[in-house]
Amino acid sequence: MALSTQQVREHMLTYLEGTGCQIIETSPHHVTVKLSPQADRQLTNRPYYWGFVDRTGAEAETLSFTFVFDPEQYDQNEQKKRAADPADKLLSRYYGAAPVLPQIGPGRIQREDVTYGSSRLQQIWNAARQEGFCLYLFEQPPSLQRETLFSAAYEPWLGVCFKAEMSCDVKKEELHFIGISLVTGQIITPFPDRLRGVTLSPRLPENIHIRPASISLSQAAGSLESYLIRSLAEMDYGWAEQARERLKEELAVIDIYYEDLLKEPDEEKLVSIREQYANRRSETTWQYEPKVHLSAITCGLFHLRSTWRGSKK
């Protein structure tokens, strides 16, 4: 599924807050931020600068950005602000309306549009995957639990966020976050339903105990993968049939084009033509042939209280 503007914004803010960036200004359509050293190292591609900082111990000066999630709405709002500014009104009377330009100011604030499919969003996902590919978290119990005589039972869950890529001459991606109990084998999808309203921390809480797992991690991962493959098999694959039809048409065009060329009497030229013909068919087949690729983006062990009940998948 494609992410909405709001979901892209949530992903971006989660990353910025998680890496300790300084939020300067935010709205439903944008966020202006001064990057933390960690985020600057991951996002700005300045290895020589950071090498200098590491060698000399100089105080780091990170970059600032205005990340825009809804460019059209953001530009409209900026135009309204300019129209409401008396100085801008005076200038526009004599010079016409000024176009919206990238914001430049203290700290070199650069504008960048971040939408679903943008390279910057992909870069943030890659950075988040490298830093937090595997999580190990505990649900934080209410303070009353610390005062009780009996410890609370915690159940270990394996949660995996899978990315399913459906591709041919066009491409579609879907995210599936699935969890499985290592005690009962219960599978929950989407797993965030189980985590909603839960405070998680890497710190082991007081007065709790972990129920022993009856399923190994490898077995649990295999069960999740099998479950997702079965779910994907039930999808509508009309797009794949349409892609194969387009592939037949493209190959037919190539065959017609090379039909006369393959009658070339010169053997040396014919060898070259045959090679070109084979390469064109191979490249076109690779481009149009429908493919489904499944990969794990992130995973984690979540130790959760055993009081929650949900439907078993």
Side-chain angles (χ1 to χ4, degrees):
M1 60 179 178
L3 298 186
S4 66
T5 298
Q6 177 62 25
Q7 289 172 319
V8 170
R9 180 180 182 275
E10 290 174 358
H11 281 224
M12 192 75 181
L13 288 178
T14 298
Y15 170 80
L16 296 175
E17 293 169 358
T19 52
C21 297
Q22 179 186 353
I23 306 296
I24 300 172
E25 182 182 64
T26 183
S27 79
H29 315 298
H30 83 289
V31 60
T32 299
V33 60
K34 183 173 177 60
L35 299 180
S36 66
Q38 178 185 358
D40 194 289
R41 288 175 186 267
Q42 293 174 348
L43 301 181
T44 61
N45 191 28
R46 300 195 294 164
Y48 294 109
Y49 172 74
W50 284 106
F52 167 78
V53 171
D54 293 338
R55 289 193 307 272
T56 64
E59 184 177 354
E61 180 59 37
T62 61
L63 301 183
S64 298
F65 287 87
T66 291
F67 294 117
V68 178
F69 313 114
D70 189 337
E72 182 177 355
Q73 189 61 51
Y74 177 79
D75 289 343
Q76 290 178 6
N77 293 343
E78 289 299 300
Q79 292 284 12
K80 290 178 182 178
K81 289 180 183 178
R82 291 173 180 272
D85 190 324
D88 279 341
K89 284 183 178 180
L90 182 61
L91 290 173
S92 64
R93 179 180 301 176
Y94 292 98
Y95 300 104
V100 176
L101 298 174
Q103 183 180 358
I104 303 297
R108 296 177 58 200
I109 300 178
Q110 307 171 50
R111 170 178 170 171
E112 186 165 340
D113 294 348
V114 180
T115 56
Y116 184 71
S118 65
S119 58
R120 180 64 80 186
L121 184 61
Q122 185 64 50
Q123 185 184 32
I124 286 172
W125 283 347
N126 291 339
R129 182 161 57 240
Q130 292 172 2
E131 291 294 319
F133 180 77
C134 290
L135 307 174
Y136 197 80
L137 299 173
F138 298 87
E139 177 180 351
Q140 294 304 296
S143 56
L144 203 62
Q145 172 62 36
R146 300 173 184 174
E147 303 173 4
T148 61
L149 295 176
F150 303 100
S151 65
Y154 271 36
E155 186 175 358
W157 289 76
L158 172 65
V160 181
C161 185
F162 291 97
K163 180 172 71 172
E165 298 179 69
M166 283 72 75
S167 60
C168 48
D169 53 323
V170 294
K171 185 176 181 181
K172 177 183 178 182
E173 296 180 349
E174 293 183 351
L175 297 180
H176 300 266
F177 194 5
I178 312 175
I180 181 172
S181 167
L182 300 184
V183 176
T184 65
Q186 177 185 4
I187 292 177
I188 296 175
T189 179
F191 190 53
D193 286 352
R194 176 64 181 86
L195 303 178
R196 188 169 290 113
V198 173
T199 300
L200 297 169
S201 169
R203 185 180 66 85
L204 177 68
E206 300 174 1
N207 202 21
I208 67 104
H209 66 276
I210 307 297
R211 296 178 62 184
S214 59
I215 303 173
S216 69
L217 285 176
S218 59
Q219 290 174 327
S223 296
L224 290 181
E225 185 175 349
S226 298
Y227 172 84
L228 185 53
I229 290 175
R230 290 196 300 271
S231 299
L232 294 175
E234 298 173 359
M235 294 175 55
D236 180 8
Y237 282 89
W239 65 271
E241 294 302 324
Q242 295 170 7
R244 289 193 176 97
E245 288 299 320
R246 293 195 297 274
L247 173 58
K248 290 179 182 178
E249 294 173 0
E250 293 295 324
L251 291 178
V253 171
I254 294 174
D255 292 343
I256 292 172
Y257 177 81
Y258 279 93
E259 184 177 4
D260 291 335
L261 295 177
L262 291 171
K263 299 176 182 178
E264 170 64 46
D266 187 307
E267 186 62 29
E268 186 175 343
K269 290 183 179 179
L270 182 59
V271 170
S272 177
I273 293 172
R274 285 174 176 171
E275 183 178 352
Q276 293 176 15
Y277 175 56
N279 289 339
R280 284 288 302 278
R281 284 184 61 91
S282 177
E283 292 170 359
T284 302
T285 300
W286 178 86
Q287 180 182 0
Y288 283 86
E289 184 68 28
K291 299 172 284 291
V292 178
H293 178 68
L294 192 62
S295 60
I297 295 179
T298 186
C299 63
L301 275 177
F302 301 84
H303 301 84
L304 309 173
R305 297 187 71 182
S306 302
T307 56
W308 189 87
R309 293 293 180 266
S311 59
K312 188 172 183 178
K313 301 293 182 181

